Amino acid sequence: MSRQALDELKQQIRLLEYLQAHDWQPARQLSRGRLMGLCPLHADHKPSFLVDPSKSLFYCYGCGRGGDVIRFAELYHELKFPQAVALLHQWRGLPPLLHETAGFYQMQLHRHTEAVAYLYQRGVRSPELIEHMRIGYAPGGCLRGWLTQLGYPLQALRQAGLVTGAGYDAYTRRIVFPLEGNLYGRSLSVTAPPHRFLPGAKGGLYAWEQVRQSPEVILVEGLFDYAVLWQAGFRNVTCSMGNHLNGRQYRQLCDALFGF
């Protein structure tokens, strides 16, 4: 990739915008519009992470690392430079595309009795919960046509992982939960792999912004665990979307536990 293309990417994705999308919040403002907060790259106990929004650069006085948005993506997601650039390209174009995809799947849910029956079997029965989690259904064979009709090129659908290399819908007969920059699909078929995500990061703890201020947080493994507890009235619940916490999820829990 040329230097000009890299500069254009950094202009399109400002560092502060990317940090805030990953739950970073400044602790205080310094002169010339600079911001200081906890470092998301190490276990920081007092603000040491300096961000200059005008220059779109960061530097941490604690761990000594700094750079631009590409360098941050490398360090935060533990990627090499080409993979970090590819991730940022995907992140830049993904939100509108995923919004349209999630909306389409939501429309499909009540058109397919097998999907509603599966949710009922798993204990998900509240219309309020289904709306809260924006649960949808991917029947397969129709998403590609819908999105290309809206003007999304086929190559963009392939890059996002929504369409296979052969041009078929990647999600087929799956209950779909929209996540932060991703989609989780739970298969209704016993012959298909049960779990499916789009390529890239799965994000932080589910619905974290809604529970982070709670005095107590209930952490569960998966989205269906979250669903039945939320439906039962527990609003201080979150999930890790798997039995392993990633670094970002650990940091979120530590921030809540120690009040950083």
Side-chain angles (χ1 to χ4, degrees):
M1 179 175 288
S2 68
R3 171 57 58 184
Q4 180 181 354
L6 290 173
D7 289 342
E8 288 176 357
L9 177 64
K10 288 185 283 188
Q11 286 294 324
Q12 291 164 349
I13 303 178
R14 306 301 294 172
L15 174 63
L16 182 59
E17 172 196 3
Y18 193 73
L19 288 169
Q20 290 174 332
H22 290 79
D23 293 326
W24 185 81
Q25 296 295 329
R28 63 179 183 271
Q29 185 165 347
L30 307 178
S31 61
R32 300 192 298 276
R34 296 173 301 164
L35 304 169
M36 184 72 81
L38 294 172
C39 180
L41 303 175
H42 76 285
D44 204 2
H45 300 292
K46 65 178 183 178
S48 61
F49 189 77
L50 178 68
V51 177
D52 189 328
S54 64
K55 297 180 181 179
S56 213
L57 295 173
F58 74 93
Y59 180 77
C60 177
Y61 291 95
C63 63
R65 292 178 286 188
D68 55 25
V69 68
I70 300 176
R71 181 58 178 157
F72 179 81
E74 285 184 88
L75 296 169
Y76 186 79
H77 299 291
E78 300 179 355
L79 301 171
K80 293 184 178 180
F81 182 83
Q83 288 75 36
V85 170
L87 177 70
L88 289 172
H89 272 293
Q90 182 180 350
W91 186 83
R92 178 187 60 185
L94 207 52
L97 178 55
L98 287 189
H99 179 77
E100 293 290 354
T101 301
F104 177 77
Y105 286 152
Q106 282 180 276
M107 288 192 296
Q108 300 304 311
L109 179 64
H110 292 289
R111 298 176 180 176
H112 296 268
T113 56
E114 62 174 352
V116 176
Y118 180 83
L119 289 177
Y120 193 86
Q121 173 193 339
R122 296 295 301 265
V124 178
R125 302 169 184 179
S126 162
E128 182 187 6
L129 171 66
I130 291 172
E131 181 63 28
H132 165 69
M133 297 185 75
R134 297 179 294 146
I135 301 173
Y137 179 63
C142 51
L143 178 68
R144 172 186 167 177
W146 171 264
L147 292 176
T148 53
Q149 182 181 323
L150 293 178
Y152 290 98
L154 181 58
Q155 184 59 27
L157 307 188
R158 287 197 178 107
Q159 288 177 347
L162 294 168
V163 169
T164 67
Y168 299 108
D169 288 5
Y171 286 66
T172 300
R173 295 195 68 222
R174 290 181 182 271
I175 299 293
V176 176
F177 296 83
L179 307 176
E180 173 199 339
N182 212 311
L183 291 175
Y184 168 68
R186 180 61 168 86
S187 178
L188 271 61
S189 171
V190 295
T191 60
H195 311 291
R196 181 154 201 163
F197 293 90
L198 294 177
K202 299 175 186 177
L205 293 167
Y206 185 75
W208 182 243
E209 288 303 314
Q210 300 170 36
V211 301
R212 62 184 302 178
Q213 300 301 327
S214 299
E216 295 180 333
V217 174
I218 301 172
L219 175 64
V220 295
E221 180 180 337
L223 288 160
F224 282 101
D225 303 316
Y226 172 96
V228 293
L229 282 176
W230 195 96
Q231 188 174 249
F234 294 93
R235 298 298 188 261
N236 60 331
V237 62
T238 185
C239 74
S240 62
M241 290 163 286
N243 55 12
H244 297 288
L245 290 170
N246 61 38
R248 181 181 173 197
Q249 292 168 342
Y250 272 119
R251 288 190 292 269
Q252 288 175 321
L253 287 175
C254 288
D255 287 350
L257 179 62
F258 297 108
F260 295 147

